Amino acid sequence: NLPIPEVPSFINDLGLEIKEPGPDVLHPYCNIAPISPLFLHSILAQQSVPMAVVNRKPNGLFGHYDVMNPQDQAWLSAFENARKSIFIQTPDFNAKPAVKGVVEACKRGVEVKLWLCYGYNFQKEELPFQGGTNVKVVRGMYKKLIKEGKGSEKNLVVCWHTPKGVGKPQERENHCHIKFMMVDEEVCIFGSGNMDVQSWFHSSEVNVMVDNQFAANEWMDAFLTN
């Protein structure tokens, strides 16, 4: 049923027990450091690294079949070749190739972590041929994995994006528009492409793929901090 967890109490700097974070208290799930919108990479992450631009041209044709483009092929390869872990942050997650990629990776024993928006674009995503809402898609993936009966559902971890200072995910505000994929803590793909029907099959998108474990870990640290 994917219930939203209750925010546990915690002790602030004044020794007071806090049940629900107020405007002057940071969310206990988050790193307590201030938001850091800018940061400098370490020397290791600043070295020359393999990099490729993986875009897609717009396609106005009806149907969800056009995956023969650099963006989609990069994503498909990332799903298929992941050995240990996959991390994805995206506003919408409902494209069938992405859903299949996650499910198959979990079956192989790959740990998949999704950071998604709760309620973002829910009215548009419920329209015909748009793939469905994040909640609907997540429930479907868990059902498939549980039905298999091999315990692979434990490899899928879904988190609803919650900004600092906010007690729980909100349907109509405080959403995040980051589009980022990291595979095996080394290869990253990020840019304008969502993991939804429009970005996979129709929209014009611009992305870059970087192969560098140091940069990948520092980007992940930035996400966790903020």
Side-chain angles (χ1 to χ4, degrees):
N1 194 28
L2 295 180
I4 299 174
E6 292 291 331
V7 178
S9 62
F10 70 108
I11 306 300
N12 67 6
D13 293 338
L14 301 178
L16 300 175
E17 184 180 19
I18 304 298
K19 291 289 187 180
E20 185 75 10
D24 58 340
V25 181
L26 298 179
H27 194 288
Y29 287 159
C30 299
N31 187 312
I32 62 173
I35 291 176
S36 303
L38 298 175
F39 68 95
L40 296 177
H41 277 296
S42 68
I43 297 298
L44 291 173
Q46 294 182 39
Q47 305 303 309
S48 298
V49 298
M51 179 183 304
V53 176
V54 287
N55 302 339
R56 69 155 292 130
K57 295 180 179 180
N59 177 17
L61 297 178
F62 182 81
H64 300 162
Y65 310 104
D66 179 25
V67 296
M68 296 306 297
N69 57 79
Q71 171 192 266
D72 293 0
Q73 289 301 306
W75 283 339
L76 289 170
S77 179
F79 281 122
E80 293 172 3
N81 292 288
R83 300 183 303 274
K84 299 181 297 182
S85 64
I86 297 173
F87 170 82
I88 295 174
Q89 181 167 4
T90 181
D92 296 318
F93 187 90
N94 57 27
K96 286 186 177 180
V99 173
K100 180 180 179 181
V102 166
V103 171
E104 293 301 318
C106 289
K107 290 180 180 179
R108 298 197 309 270
V110 175
E111 180 185 89
V112 180
K113 182 174 290 187
L114 305 179
W115 285 9
L116 310 176
C117 290
Y118 182 80
Y120 179 78
N121 259 357
F122 70 97
Q123 291 179 324
K124 293 180 180 179
E125 300 303 329
E126 283 282 36
L127 293 173
F129 311 112
Q130 294 306 304
T133 66
N134 289 337
V135 172
K136 179 180 179 181
V137 171
V138 167
R139 286 173 175 165
M141 289 191 294
Y142 274 117
K143 286 181 179 179
K144 288 181 180 179
L145 294 170
I146 292 172
K147 186 177 180 180
E148 189 185 35
K150 297 183 179 180
S152 53
E153 67 276 4
K154 70 179 183 299
N155 296 322
L156 177 59
V157 178
V158 178
C159 302
W160 302 121
H161 169 75
T162 307
K164 279 188 174 180
V166 178
K168 60 184 178 181
Q170 300 177 354
E171 288 191 17
R172 299 183 182 275
E173 56 187 65
N174 294 318
H175 296 302
C176 184
H177 216 236
I178 290 174
K179 299 100 170 184
F180 181 87
M181 180 183 195
M182 179 174 67
V183 176
D184 294 335
E185 300 182 359
E186 182 172 356
V187 177
C188 299
I189 304 170
F190 53 92
S192 67
N194 294 283
M195 287 285 168
D196 63 5
V197 167
Q198 288 300 318
S199 287
W200 268 84
F201 304 113
H202 301 292
S203 300
S204 175
E205 306 290 358
V206 179
N207 310 278
V208 63
M209 178 168 60
V210 177
D211 186 355
N212 182 287
Q213 62 176 322
F214 303 109
N217 288 327
E218 290 174 19
W219 285 325
M220 197 66 220
D221 287 342
F223 290 145
L224 293 171
T225 298
N226 293 321

